[in-house]
């Protein structure tokens, strides 16, 4: 389907990566819906636990709260869309919804990297400069960090979208399960040098800016671990393990996305392509709350206490009604 028009008059895009699965579509719909429900539940419950308990109003947990909010944000930009497409026979998406999805997913990725970078700096201060931690990481600074990283990520993605919306497109078929920024650029039959240059610049910015504090922080933390006491090493391992695992997992997921959109994947089986394309957006929102919830004892114990209290209250109310 070829269109000789600009993207401002383009009505829709066609998503060409969906396979014909027949009645299995209902099974995939149920599994995807259950996964989304679990993601919403675990992330929302941890956000509520952190917000409701004053003992968790510390910088580390505030950054975690921002991370869990971002998981909800990114998941909501993808899962409802996937659920609609799974049961649809014609896999099309309106141009406006496509650009909105690109903004949600790309800003989600930028917030994720920025949030993880600030969390690594927070761990550096807590482990390497414990006596100065409360003065260097005040509640005001935490709030400012969170506002800046969200604002910075959203503005960067808005600039990318503004460049793409005005491209002249000669086609509307994307070999993908959802909308991708670079796939729209590839559909253009006009000059895309500015888009490509800005895309490379923002990609480098998105990687290098968070990477510097992460490398700096963990070099300092490793130095303390090798020269410090056993208690210091245990503290470092318990607080940094989920952060490192989250960072590595998300980096691999984003790497898969870059490879898929920029290189020829025709020799890769369709099922593998689908798994890789959904890897970072399906696994990360589920993995983060589970890892942090299990690994961080204070958060885990508070969550258990609140859950037990809620169940006990519900049981008492039921008994009173009967």
């Amino acid at each position: 389907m070829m269109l000789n028009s600009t993207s401002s008059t383009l009505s829709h895009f066609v998503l060409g990566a969906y396979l014909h699965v027949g009645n299995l579509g209902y099974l995939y719909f149920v599994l995807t819906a259950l996964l989304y429900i679990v993601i919403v539940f675990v992330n929302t419950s941890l956000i509520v636990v952190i917000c409701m308990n004053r003992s968790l109003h510390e910088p580390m947990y505030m950054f975690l709260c921002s991370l869990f909010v971002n998981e909800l944000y990114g998941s909501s930009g993808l899962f409802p869309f996937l659920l609609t497409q799974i049961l649809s026979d014609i896999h099309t998406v309106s141009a406006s919804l496509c650009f909105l999805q690109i903004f949600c997913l790309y800003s989600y990725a930028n917030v994720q990297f920025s949030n993880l970078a600030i969390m690594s700096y927070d761990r550096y201060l807590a482990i390497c400069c414990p006596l100065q931690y409360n003065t260097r990481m005040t509640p005001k600074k935490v709030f400012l960090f969170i506002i800046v990283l969200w604002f910075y990520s959203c503005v960067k993605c808005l600039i990318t979208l503004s460049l793409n919306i005005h491209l002249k497109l000669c086609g509307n078929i994307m070999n993908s399960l959802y909308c991708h920024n670079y796939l729209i650029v590839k559909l253009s039959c006009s000059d895309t040098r500015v888009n490509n240059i800005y895309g490379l610049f923002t990609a480098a910015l998105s990687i290098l800016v968070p990477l510097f504090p992460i490398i700096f922080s963990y070099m300092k933390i490793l130095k303390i671990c090798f020269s410090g006491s056993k208690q210091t090493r245990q503290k470092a391992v318990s607080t940094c393990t989920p952060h490192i695992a989250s960072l590595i997992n998300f980096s691999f997921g984003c790497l898969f996305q870059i490879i898929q959109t920029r290189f020829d994947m025709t020799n890769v089986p369709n099922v593998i392509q689908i798994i890789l394309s959904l890897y970072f957006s399906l696994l990360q929102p589920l993995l983060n709350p589970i890892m942090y919830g299990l690994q961080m004892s204070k958060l885990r114990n508070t969550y258990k206490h609140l859950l037990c209290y809620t169940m006990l209250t519900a049981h008492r109310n039921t008994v009173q009604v009967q």
Side-chain angles (χ1 to χ4, degrees):
M1 189 181 300
M2 302 300 289
L3 299 175
N4 295 316
S5 61
T6 61
S7 60
S8 59
T9 59
L10 186 68
S11 61
H12 67 277
F13 291 99
V14 178
L15 302 172
Y18 284 90
L19 304 175
H20 180 69
V21 293
N23 291 331
L24 283 176
Y26 295 102
L27 175 62
Y28 296 145
F29 177 87
V30 171
L31 292 176
T32 305
L34 286 174
L35 182 59
Y36 183 45
I37 291 169
V38 171
I39 288 172
V40 171
F41 174 76
V42 293
N43 282 283
T44 303
S45 58
L46 287 172
I47 292 169
V48 170
V49 167
I50 292 172
C51 292
M52 289 183 62
N53 290 270
R54 294 186 63 86
S55 62
L56 297 178
H57 291 181
E58 299 174 7
M60 177 173 60
Y61 298 107
M62 291 295 100
F63 292 134
L64 275 179
C65 189
S66 172
L67 193 70
F68 298 147
V69 169
N70 191 45
E71 302 297 4
L72 287 177
Y73 169 65
S75 300
S76 299
L78 179 65
F79 274 89
F81 177 83
L82 283 180
L83 292 172
T84 304
Q85 292 294 328
I86 287 173
L87 294 183
S88 176
D89 295 325
I90 303 174
H91 303 292
T92 61
V93 54
S94 67
S96 57
L97 181 59
C98 190
F99 286 120
L100 177 61
Q101 185 177 61
I102 289 172
F103 173 79
C104 290
L105 294 181
Y106 278 66
S107 56
Y108 158 73
N110 278 275
V111 169
Q112 191 85 349
F113 271 123
S114 301
N115 211 126
L116 290 172
I118 292 177
M119 288 172 66
S120 68
Y121 176 67
D122 174 72
R123 291 301 82 209
Y124 154 71
L125 290 179
I127 296 169
C128 302
C129 312
L131 299 178
Q132 304 172 31
Y133 181 75
N134 290 330
T135 56
R136 295 176 66 175
M137 190 61 75
T138 63
K140 185 178 180 180
K141 287 183 179 179
V142 171
F143 181 75
L144 184 62
F145 274 135
I146 293 173
I147 293 296
V148 168
L149 75 89
W150 277 85
F151 180 76
Y152 157 78
S153 301
C154 290
V155 169
K156 194 149 65 72
C157 293
L158 280 174
I159 296 173
T160 302
L161 274 186
S162 66
L163 291 173
N164 289 350
I165 286 174
H166 297 95
L167 285 175
K168 182 179 180 180
L169 304 182
C170 294
N172 67 343
I173 300 176
M174 287 189 284
N175 186 30
S176 175
L177 297 176
Y178 50 91
C179 295
H180 280 276
N181 175 63
Y182 188 69
L183 292 181
I184 291 181
V185 175
K186 288 170 72 174
L187 291 173
S188 174
C189 50
S190 58
D191 188 3
T192 60
R193 280 179 296 180
V194 174
N195 301 72
N196 290 327
I197 292 171
Y198 182 76
L200 291 172
F201 171 74
T202 54
L205 203 65
S206 301
I207 296 171
L208 294 179
V209 171
L211 194 61
F212 177 75
I214 290 171
I215 293 175
F216 170 81
S217 300
Y218 279 102
M219 285 179 64
K220 294 291 186 180
I221 290 171
L222 284 173
K223 185 178 179 182
I224 290 292
C225 288
F226 284 119
S227 61
S229 63
K230 183 179 179 180
Q231 184 180 2
T232 303
R233 286 195 296 271
Q234 289 177 341
K235 179 183 178 182
V237 170
S238 64
T239 59
C240 294
T241 298
H243 181 267
I244 295 173
S246 176
L247 179 65
I248 293 174
N249 179 68
F250 192 70
S251 298
F252 273 117
C254 291
L255 180 63
F256 293 151
Q257 290 293 302
I258 294 171
I259 292 173
Q260 270 196 308
T261 55
R262 292 182 179 267
F263 296 96
D264 184 15
M265 302 287 288
T266 53
N267 294 326
V268 180
N270 289 331
V271 175
I272 301 297
Q273 290 189 48
I274 290 172
I275 292 173
L276 292 180
S277 67
L278 295 175
Y279 178 84
F280 93 105
S281 50
L282 294 189
L283 187 60
Q284 190 75 4
L286 185 62
L287 186 66
N288 270 343
I290 291 176
M291 281 196 309
Y292 285 106
L294 292 176
Q295 187 69 22
M296 305 185 75
S297 58
K298 190 173 181 180
L299 181 60
R300 182 178 66 249
N301 293 335
T302 306
Y303 184 82
K304 285 181 179 179
H305 177 76
L306 183 63
L307 186 62
C308 291
Y309 176 79
T310 303
M311 292 175 65
L312 183 61
T313 303
H315 177 70
R316 286 176 178 174
N317 292 337
T318 304
V319 171
Q320 289 176 359
V321 171
Q322 292 176 346

